Amino acid sequence: MDNAETHRPAPVRTAVVTGGNRGIGYAVAARLLQDGCEVVLVARDRERGEAARASLAGAGGARVRLVVGDLSGVRKVRATAEALGATCPRIDVLVHNAGLWPSRRVLGEDGLEQAFVTNHLAPFLLNHELEPLLAASGTRVVQVGAGLYVNGRADPERTPTGLDFHPMRTYADTKLCNLLLVPRFAERWKNAGVTINAVHPGVIRTGLGDRGGPLGYLLKAAKLLWKSPDVGARPVVRLALAEETAGRTGRYFHIDVEQPLAPVAADAALAERLWIQALELTGLEPTPPPVRHDVT
């Protein structure tokens, strides 16, 4: 009997990392490369993205690609999804890492506050636009969250346009919005072989939230005591690749420890409102949940 089929090597896993040109995203990409994945970086700025790709290529060779994608507007997110679909025949891992912590209220082309779009609507829309590819690949989706969500307040009437904007709290508000929908995606994908989990990687020294003035100075000083991006990448990659986390879905992890969501993120009625609102704001029609078919 010919055992050639039995010994056929497994396909190389393809991992997409948004915000992969710096901070935790870059460190996650580096670790995924070390574990044998092909990595697709999503970066808003081509020059910075190419610099990150070239730096990573020293370890991964041709296994690093770049998709230039802006996640600050609905049209731009949809274009990013199209570019990913054209670049990736399969996606085994999708890491939603890109995040924004603005110091002032800025409305984008949709009339929506940009942290709300980047932190919340962008992962929502990417998940939907890439859904056929995710279901075909049995993707593990990892949402890089923030423990600060416990201080968030998601107001569907005010948060989308930043009417409740606050330079310290808006980041937590928008991360809470995103986290509220993780169980919804887990339920939607339960028959598609797709898993989704959120993880707070710890207090990590990145450029997130950098700003000028006295507050910026204090934050910069505090970051000297925080852990490196490589430390923050470890729990993200664990959810993306480790055998012990396979099959888990709809969960929240504080670093490596699974934790129940705080009551503020376990409000099913609020999650339903945010889901319907996100469909409306992104121009999506409700569709039946996907079902995974056998993949060769």
Side-chain angles (χ1 to χ4, degrees), residues 22-158:
R22 59 185 294 190
I24 293 176
Y26 181 90
V28 166
R31 283 185 166 269
L32 290 169
L33 280 171
Q34 292 170 8
D35 285 325
C37 294
E38 289 189 347
V39 174
V40 180
L41 304 177
V42 178
R44 180 175 57 182
D45 183 272
R46 179 176 294 277
E47 184 176 351
R48 293 177 181 176
E50 286 289 0
R53 188 204 63 76
S55 177
L56 289 166
R63 293 188 291 113
V64 190
R65 289 173 285 170
L66 172 67
V67 167
V68 178
D70 190 331
L71 304 181
S72 66
V74 171
R75 176 184 59 83
K76 295 172 182 177
V77 175
R78 189 166 274 115
T80 301
E82 291 175 2
L84 284 170
T87 301
C88 305
R90 62 182 292 129
I91 297 176
D92 299 282
V93 173
L94 173 58
V95 179
H96 292 299
N97 165 76
L100 184 64
W101 188 338
S103 59
R104 60 189 180 90
R105 177 179 180 244
V106 176
L107 302 184
E109 62 184 18
D110 311 294
L112 300 172
E113 195 274 320
Q114 287 195 334
F116 177 82
V117 178
T118 302
N119 298 344
H120 172 55
L121 279 190
F124 177 88
L125 182 54
L126 283 177
N127 285 345
H128 277 88
E129 292 291 305
L130 297 173
E131 195 169 65
L133 194 54
L134 305 184
S137 305
T139 306
R140 292 197 200 188
V141 179
V142 182
Q143 178 65 54
V144 179
L148 288 173
Y149 85 87
V150 297
N151 299 320
R153 294 182 298 189
D155 184 342
E157 301 301 324
R158 297 169 58 82

Side-chain angles (χ1 to χ4, degrees), residues 101-247:
W101 188 338
S103 59
R104 60 189 180 90
R105 177 179 180 244
V106 176
L107 302 184
E109 62 184 18
D110 311 294
L112 300 172
E113 195 274 320
Q114 287 195 334
F116 177 82
V117 178
T118 302
N119 298 344
H120 172 55
L121 279 190
F124 177 88
L125 182 54
L126 283 177
N127 285 345
H128 277 88
E129 292 291 305
L130 297 173
E131 195 169 65
L133 194 54
L134 305 184
S137 305
T139 306
R140 292 197 200 188
V141 179
V142 182
Q143 178 65 54
V144 179
L148 288 173
Y149 85 87
V150 297
N151 299 320
R153 294 182 298 189
D155 184 342
E157 301 301 324
R158 297 169 58 82
T159 304
T161 55
L163 293 177
D164 56 354
F165 183 86
H166 186 279
M168 295 301 293
R169 205 192 61 245
T170 286
Y171 179 70
D173 293 348
T174 53
K175 281 295 188 178
L176 172 61
C177 289
N178 175 255
L179 187 56
L180 276 157
L181 299 192
V182 167
R184 291 294 304 264
F185 275 112
E187 176 64 21
R188 177 174 176 82
W189 290 337
K190 64 182 180 182
N191 295 319
V194 181
T195 64
I196 180 170
N197 295 288
V199 57
H200 169 51
V203 182
I204 305 300
R205 186 173 62 251
T206 71
L208 186 67
D210 283 355
R211 60 199 64 193
L215 181 59
Y217 178 81
L218 290 174
L219 183 61
K220 185 176 181 179
K223 285 184 178 184
L224 295 175
L225 303 175
W226 297 0
K227 295 180 180 178
S228 71
D230 186 63
V231 173
R234 294 172 191 170
V236 179
V237 174
R238 175 175 174 268
L239 284 176
L241 298 180
E243 286 297 325
E244 68 263 24
T245 60

